[in-house]
Amino acid sequence: MIELEGVPELVDPVMVAAFEGWNDAGDAASTAVGHLEREWKGEVFAALDAEDYYDFQVNRPQVWLDGGDRKITWPTTRLAVVRVDDAGGKGKQRDLVLVRGIEPSMRWRSFCNEILGFAHELGVEMVVVMGSLLGDTPHTRPVPVTGVTSDPDLARTMNLEESRYEGPTGIVGILQEACTHAGVPAVSLWAAVPHYVSQPPNPKATLALLNRLEDLIGINIPMGELPEDARAWQLGVDQLAAEDSEVAEYVQSLEEARDTAELPEASGEAIAKEFERYLRRRDDGPTSGTATGSAAESGPGTYLRDTSTGRNRAPKPSAKDEDAEQKEQQEQPEQDPKRESSDDSDDD
C-alpha cells in the first residue's frame, strides 16, 4: 500500500532514480542521486519492504550502534522528495522525487510496479534513470554520457538516442521499459567509466551525469566539491598511469581513438552548451556592458565576448595600431582615375 502522508503537493515533478549494483560502475550513478539528496536536504517519505525484493545473503544487512543501542539497516530502496526553488535560474519551482537503492534480487516486475505506483500518485511527469558502465574511454577526456529512450517522439524532441540495445539488462533497463508500457515518459542516462580504473568512487563520471541531468530537465544543480574532487581524481589516475609504461601507452591509444572518433562533435552547438553552463554558474556581479579579457591580452584578430549581449565583438584598436594604419594609407600609391574608369567599363 502506498502511503504519502506528509508529502506536499509537487510542482512539475521529475523522478530521478539510480541503483547500486550491475548498472553502477564506479558507483557514479548512485552517488549522483545521493548528491542531489544531500545538497537539497531531501526528506525520505517511503521505503520499499526489503523482504519482498532482496536476498540478504547477497545484500547483507548492516548492524550499527546508536549510543548504547544496536540497530540494523536493511538493504532496500528509498524515495525522497526535494524542492528546487530556482529551476533553470529563472525563479521557477520544480520538484524532484529521488529513488535510490540497490538492484533487487527478485520480483523485478513487482518492484517496478511499486515505483510506478508512487510516480502515478505523485503526478510524476517524467522518469530519469541514471546508470554507469565500463567502457574503452580514457580518463583524460570528458566522460561520455548517452541519453537513451524507447519513445521515438521523446528521442526526437529531446535530442536523445532511441534504444536499439539487445542483450542482458539490469534494473535500469527494466524500469525504463516498465515506464514506457505504462505511458510514462522515461529516459536513461549512461556514463562510461574507464574499465582500467573502475573502482569507486568516480567523481568525474558523477559530475558528468549531473551536468547532463541539468541540460535534460532544465535545472541548476549545486555541485559543491564535485568539480574539485573530479580534478583530484584525474590527477591521481595520471600519476598511477605515469608509473606504468604499458598503462600509459594504452591510455594514449584510447585518447587517439577517442579524439579521432569525436572530432566532428567539436561543433558550435557543443561549445555554446558549455558557455551557457558557465553563464549559469558564474558568480553574480556587475557584468553589464563588460567583456571578458582585454584587447591588450588578446592577439590580432581576437574577438571579445560582450556579456551584456552574449555576442562577440572586435577589440578596439589601440592608438599605436591607428597610427600604423594611417601611415600605411599614406604610403600607398594614388589610384589612377583613368584606370579606375577603364576597369568600371570592363565590368559593365
Side-chain angles (χ1 to χ4, degrees):
M1 182 178 178
I2 297 176
E3 298 288 346
L4 295 177
E5 292 184 7
V7 179
E9 185 175 351
L10 304 183
V11 178
D12 299 332
V14 174
M15 179 176 281
V16 182
F19 303 95
E20 300 174 18
W22 197 62
N23 295 142
D24 194 26
D27 291 353
S30 59
T31 302
V33 174
H35 177 86
L36 297 174
E37 186 175 343
R38 183 172 57 256
E39 288 293 326
W40 278 316
K41 298 178 176 57
E43 297 182 4
V44 175
F45 65 87
L48 276 59
D49 191 343
E51 290 278 352
D52 291 338
Y53 305 114
Y54 295 98
D55 181 347
F56 299 139
Q57 291 183 332
V58 177
N59 298 289
R60 293 186 178 273
Q62 300 290 320
V63 179
W64 55 286
L65 292 175
D66 182 13
D69 299 329
R70 294 177 65 84
K71 294 186 176 181
I72 297 177
T73 299
W74 296 92
T76 188
T77 294
R78 294 177 173 83
L79 290 85
V81 62
V82 298
R83 175 146 292 174
V84 185
D85 292 325
D86 190 22
K90 300 177 181 178
K92 181 182 177 182
Q93 181 177 307
R94 175 161 227 175
D95 296 328
L96 300 182
V97 179
L98 304 179
V99 181
R100 185 186 181 197
I102 304 170
E103 184 177 66
S105 306
M106 60 194 79
R107 301 185 182 92
W108 283 19
R109 286 176 291 186
S110 299
F111 179 88
C112 292
N113 287 337
E114 189 164 353
I115 291 178
L116 281 171
F118 281 105
H120 175 73
E121 292 296 325
L122 293 168
V124 166
E125 297 180 348
M126 183 170 66
V127 175
V128 180
V129 194
M130 294 195 287
S132 49
L133 47 80
L134 300 180
D136 294 330
T137 181
H139 71 278
T140 54
R141 297 294 185 265
V143 176
V145 178
T146 305
V148 180
T149 181
S150 299
D151 186 336
D153 295 332
L154 200 61
R156 183 174 58 257
T157 58
M158 302 192 74
N159 194 26
L160 302 167
E161 293 186 16
E162 190 174 351
S163 178
R164 290 287 184 268
Y165 173 75
E166 295 180 326
T169 188
I171 194 61
V172 171
I174 297 299
L175 180 57
Q176 180 175 336
E177 288 305 308
C179 291
T180 300
H181 290 301
V184 179
V187 176
S188 59
L189 300 179
W190 290 95
V193 172
H195 66 84
Y196 58 89
V197 56
S198 59
Q199 64 271 24
N202 190 317
K204 188 173 181 179
T206 295
L207 184 63
L209 281 169
L210 292 175
N211 282 333
R212 184 61 187 273
L213 181 65
E214 277 189 327
D215 296 336
L216 183 69
I217 62 178
I219 62 172
N220 290 341
I221 299 174
M223 296 301 178
E225 298 180 356
L226 265 178
E228 184 60 33
D229 291 343
R231 285 190 290 269
W233 176 86
Q234 181 166 325
L235 287 174
V237 181
D238 285 343
Q239 294 174 358
L240 292 174
E243 295 172 359
D244 190 320
S245 59
E246 292 185 0
V247 173
E249 290 177 4
Y250 180 65
V251 171
Q252 184 178 0
S253 67
L254 292 178
E255 291 173 341
E256 293 173 353
R258 172 76 178 274
D259 294 344
T260 301
E262 295 195 350
L263 186 60
E265 295 185 9
S267 62
E269 182 180 356
I271 295 172
K273 274 191 175 182
E274 288 301 317
F275 185 70
E276 288 172 2
R277 182 176 290 119
Y278 161 75
L279 289 179
R280 288 201 304 265
R281 296 194 181 288
R282 67 179 180 174
D283 295 332
D284 294 334
T287 58
S288 178
T290 62
T292 57
S294 66
E297 297 169 340
S298 305
T302 300
Y303 280 75
L304 304 181
R305 172 69 67 173
D306 189 331
T307 55
S308 64
T309 63
R311 298 179 179 177
N312 291 333
R313 62 175 176 83
K316 182 179 179 180
S318 64
K320 182 178 178 181
D321 294 335
E322 290 178 345
D323 292 342
E325 183 177 356
Q326 291 176 0
K327 183 178 179 181
E328 182 180 354
Q329 291 176 352
Q330 292 172 358
E331 292 176 352
Q332 289 180 350
E334 294 184 359
Q335 181 71 30
D336 185 351
K338 294 182 179 179
R339 175 62 180 273
E340 182 178 356
S341 174
S342 174
D343 292 341
D344 290 343
S345 63
D346 291 342
D347 293 338
D348 293 337

